[in-house]
Each structure stands twice: as structure tokens, then as C-alpha cells.
Amino acid sequence: MTRLRGRTVLVAGGRVSGLATVPPLQDLGAHVLVTDSDSGAVAKAETLGARGILQDDLLANPASFDDIALVVTSPGLRVDSPVLAAAAGRGIPIWGDIELSWRIDRAGLYGPPTQWLVVTGTNGKTTTTSMVASILESAGIESAACGNIGLPVLDALRRDPHPAALAVELSSFQLFWAPSVRPEAGVVLNIAEDHLDWHGGMDGYVRAKAGALTGRVAVVGLDDARAASLASDSPAERVVGFRLGEPSVGELGVVGSDLVDRAFAEHTSLISVDDVHPAGPAGVMDALAAAAVTRAIGIAPDTVADGLRSYQVGPHRNAVVRTVAGVTFVDDSKATNPHAARSSLLAYDRIVWIAGGLLKGAAVDELVAEVAPRLAAALVMGRDGTQIAEAVARHAPDVPVVTFSTGDDADVTRVAEDADVVMQAVVREAARRAEPGDTVLLAPAAASLDMFVDYGHRGRSFADAVSALTDSDVVDGGEQS
């Protein structure tokens, strides 16, 4: 890290993760240059004391790369993006913000190196990471939940007092750009089709996820075939599994009504299934994973139980918004891929399903075929909504489908007020289609960025539209349908 002193580091991407790298790089003595396609992001970087340059201007002048010693990229940029391709062509090293965070932490720039507890998977990352953070808090360990969960790792490392442990949620993008990370314990919860367009297919996506299993203890979800298959290739000192069924030696699982540890103890009950929130199989799996990575660093069973009991479910994760005239409206906007949507779709008997957005190369036929008997209606929107509508037509031909357009669904950057207008229309139609006892479920099975700022905006838009409903919107609608 000392070799960066007096050298120029290019930060590719001036959003949250990119801007978080500026002060640490300056603390290392580097000259920081930030590039972005948005002039507002460049201006924000300049307020931090960095130099800024628009991406087009940088690329128009190849000599701009001559003095650059390192590129730190925002995780979402692909290898073939123009700035990274130009840097790679000149042999300039490229690190992700997580790689930089790891190296700064190992170098002790802000204090003694911390214990990283890394969580990844297609579904359940944020819930598991939050559970880990809750357990660390119960143990009285100075810590933070960070990474893909919202708080940049570098911001967490710069906190006073300095954290002794971090609950780090990492996406496949972040792991791809962070090859040096060796967590104290890391878990791969599950692996299903997601971000295949970014990784060039399933093999690349799986390889990126496996980066969480390169530290001292590797934890894998045994009920997921792809995650379980990573156990044999992990270089970790110890591999631990977890499952919903009865655990073997070296595993965590469920015996009767209790979560049980047979990996770090002979046979120790941790907590009752009834005390785990969110309820249901997905919540229990996340709790088992959180218990495994925290037991791996020696946290006592009673403390693990206390942390799991005190955990509060976050917004947009299968959260009940309101019940109107006997119809329950549920926000699972965080279900940004088919695998994530499956958990909530299987939790209700009869559903008016709100879906659609960016599928990112994922297929939905298997999901639709499985949940078809539960569907009362499907309301689809967004760029790839038509693919979901066609899958419903194939596998549930008797289920009515209503498609909502934003005008130009091919425009992936369409984030505008009309997204909220469309959501209002979708929710009103869902109320019209629902009957007392039904669940109107926002479980998009797709990303939000074609219409909304993020999944949080999508969930808030849904909740606002539900709040505007009256009993007559459901009762009158039910009589018409």
C-alpha cells in the first residue's frame, strides 16, 4: 500500500462505493482521480478533494492513463466496460473497492486487522448479514454490517472505535473484483440463476460466489446443490454445512423444533424454530448460516440465540404492508431474482402476483410452473415483464395476466415519476382481482432499475399505492371480477 504514495489512482465510478474510496486513498498519500459518466458524481468527488473527469473526456485522451498506477472500480462495472478495458490494455492493475478495503485493513491503516464474516448467495444475503450483525452486537463485539448491505466497508473500517469484526455482505460483482479476500468465515447460502449477463454464464457466476469460501472456515448451504458442490473445492482450513433437516457431525440443522449445532459442539440446541424471524424455511436457513459463521469465531450458543431473537426483519423483505377488506398486501421488493421470489410465493396459498423488471438473463419457467397452483392472477410490468407473462401462459394458462407498460420498456435507464403512476395502476388492478383471504404479493423476481431508483424505491412505491386504497377498492373489485 505504501507504493501508492505520490501516485495517481483512478476511481472508476463516482457513486457511493466509489466516493468511499477517496478519503482512504488520500490517507495513503495517493492522488485521486474520479471518473463517471454523470457530471454530478464527478462534482461530488471534487468536493472531497479529488480531481474529477467525465468518462468521455478520459477516453478521448489516451494519455490520461499514462500516470495511473491503479484503477479502483465500482463493483458493477464489467471487465469489458470502456474505462476498464482501456486500463487493462495498458497493464494497469484493477481492484474493486472490496479488494482495496481488504488490503487497507490488512495493512492496519485504521487499526488492527478485523475479522471478516462474509455472506453471499443468490437469496438471503441481507437477512443473514443482519442476523450476523445482531449476534455480534449481542456478544458485545464492536462491529458493523457493511458491504452490499449499504455501508461501504471502508466507512466501517474508519469508524471510531475501530471494529473488531465485520458482517460483510458481498455480491458476485464485489467478489469478482476482490480476489485477495480471505475471511475468517464465509458462507455461500445458495446459488441460482442471476446476473448471468454480467458474468457471461452460470460458470462465471458460481466461480465468483466461491470467493467467499477462501478463508479459515467455509460454510455452505447443503440443501442447495450448487452451493454444496463448492465444499470439495474450497481451500478453507475447515468446511461446515447447514441444512433444514437433521444435521450430521460437522453440520448445523434442525432437530425436532430446534436449530442444532453439531459442527462446533457435539450436539447443542441453539434456538427454537418458532423464535426465528422471518418465519418459514428461508428464515430458518438464514439463521443457521448466521449461527455457523458466528460459532466459527467462538461466539457462545446462548449469545447466538440472543442475537437471533433480537433480530428485526428489514423493510421490503416479505413485509406485510396492510390488510384491506380481508386482502393482505405484502412487499417483497427485495426479491430481485426468481430464486428470491420463490420463497415468498411458496409462503401463501392464493396469490395475486405482481412481478417484472430486469431478469438479468435468468429464466422464470421453473418458478412459474412450481407456483402455478397458488396464482389467482399475475400482473406484470417492466422491461422483461413480457417474459414472465409468457411463462404464466405456458404453465398456468387459466391464470389471468395483465401487462402494464411504462411506455418504452426497452429503455433500461427509465427511472421517472411514471414508475410510481404505473405502480398505482398495478396495485388498483391487484385489489380488483383479489378476494378476501388472498395475498397481493409484490415479489418481482427481477431487478428494479428499468423503472425505479432501486428495490427500496419500488417497495415504497408499492406501499404508497396500497396506503391509498379503500375497502371499496377491494370489495367492489371482487364483485366485478
Side-chain angles (χ1 to χ4, degrees):
M1 303 303 295
T2 58
R3 287 179 293 190
L4 294 179
R5 182 172 299 278
R7 307 293 300 280
T8 297
V9 176
L10 175 66
V11 175
R15 307 306 166 92
V16 175
S17 62
L19 293 178
T21 69
V22 173
L25 287 168
Q26 292 170 332
D27 290 342
L28 289 168
H31 304 303
V32 185
L33 175 65
V34 177
T35 187
D36 198 283
S37 58
D38 176 33
S39 59
V42 170
K44 286 182 180 178
E46 291 172 341
T47 66
L48 297 175
R51 290 187 295 131
I53 184 170
L54 286 170
Q55 178 178 296
D56 288 345
D57 295 337
L58 176 72
L59 294 171
N61 181 15
S64 300
F65 289 89
D66 289 348
D67 296 328
I68 294 172
L70 172 70
V71 174
V72 177
T73 180
S74 294
L77 290 182
R78 290 168 42 145
V79 173
D80 59 358
S81 63
V83 170
L84 301 189
R90 290 165 174 80
I92 301 171
I94 302 172
W95 297 353
D97 64 300
I98 299 300
E99 179 76 7
L100 177 66
S101 304
W102 175 259
R103 291 179 182 244
I104 282 177
D105 184 38
R106 297 302 101 177
L109 181 63
Y110 296 115
T114 63
Q115 291 184 306
W116 286 39
L117 304 181
V118 167
V119 178
T120 196
T122 304
N123 185 30
K125 293 188 297 295
T126 299
T127 298
T128 303
T129 304
S130 300
M131 287 176 169
V132 170
S134 183
I135 294 168
L136 291 171
E137 183 177 0
S138 291
I141 298 172
E142 193 65 43
S143 58
C146 55
N148 197 53
I149 201 169
L151 176 70
V153 176
L154 285 166
D155 286 353
L157 290 173
R158 295 170 67 214
R159 285 183 168 182
D160 185 17
H162 183 67
L166 295 176
V168 189
E169 176 186 328
L170 294 183
S171 69
S172 59
F173 305 154
Q174 291 170 313
L175 285 163
F176 176 88
W177 289 116
S180 298
V181 171
R182 301 290 182 268
E184 188 67 15
V187 58
V188 176
L189 302 168
N190 44 61
I191 301 177
E193 289 186 346
D194 200 13
H195 304 302
L196 302 190
D197 47 355
W198 198 97
H199 289 282
M202 196 66 185
D203 289 346
Y205 180 56
V206 172
R207 281 195 301 273
K209 290 294 189 186
L213 305 178
T214 56
R216 187 177 68 84
V217 178
V219 180
V220 296
L222 297 174
D223 291 341
D224 182 276
R226 288 193 178 102
S229 71
L230 298 177
S232 59
D233 294 328
S234 171
E237 296 176 19
R238 184 176 184 189
V239 178
V240 172
F242 66 94
R243 64 173 78 243
L244 278 178
E246 186 168 338
S248 300
V249 174
E251 300 175 0
L252 287 81
V254 179
V255 178
S257 61
D258 289 344
L259 277 63
V260 169
D261 175 11
R262 294 196 67 196
F264 304 98
E266 184 175 344
H267 185 109
T268 297
S269 294
L270 299 172
I271 188 174
S272 169
V273 169
D274 293 339
D275 290 335
V276 173
H277 301 286
V284 172
M285 292 287 274
D286 294 342
L288 287 166
V293 296
T294 51
R295 291 285 287 140
I297 63 168
I299 295 180
D302 289 348
T303 305
V304 170
D306 290 342
L308 291 174
R309 287 192 190 95
S310 61
Y311 167 69
Q312 299 293 317
V313 178
H316 316 302
R317 294 173 180 83
N318 207 21
V320 174
V321 174
R322 187 183 174 205
T323 299
V324 185
V327 175
T328 302
F329 292 78
V330 175
D331 169 16
D332 196 20
S333 183
K334 187 66 169 63
T336 57
N337 56 69
H339 188 267
R342 177 180 180 271
S343 296
S344 51
L345 284 164
L346 293 176
Y348 306 101
D349 293 331
R350 184 178 148 93
I351 302 162
V352 176
W353 183 25
I354 299 175
L358 296 173
L359 285 172
K360 303 169 289 183
V364 293
D365 282 82
E366 184 176 342
L367 170 67
V368 172
E370 183 177 11
V371 303
R374 300 169 184 268
L375 299 180
L379 285 64
V380 299
M381 57 184 174
R383 195 189 73 177
D384 295 334
T386 300
Q387 294 182 42
I388 298 175
E390 291 172 349
V392 174
R394 283 191 293 271
H395 301 287
D398 295 333
V399 173
V401 180
V402 183
T403 302
F404 293 80
S405 172
T406 57
D408 180 9
D409 289 336
D411 184 355
V412 181
T413 62
R414 190 178 181 84
V415 179
E417 292 181 1
D418 62 354
D420 295 320
V421 173
V422 171
M423 182 63 82
Q424 291 168 6
V426 170
V427 169
R428 285 196 299 269
E429 181 64 18
R432 194 182 79 81
R433 298 273 176 177
E435 299 176 359
D438 287 356
T439 299
V440 173
L441 176 64
L442 173 67
S448 59
L449 300 181
D450 56 334
M451 292 175 61
F452 300 92
V453 174
D454 51 27
Y455 75 82
H457 173 205
R458 181 169 60 187
R460 291 190 297 274
S461 182
F462 173 76
D464 289 345
V466 171
S467 296
L469 293 174
T470 65
D471 286 0
S472 62
D473 290 320
V474 175
V475 174
D476 293 347
E479 291 174 350
Q480 294 169 13
S481 59

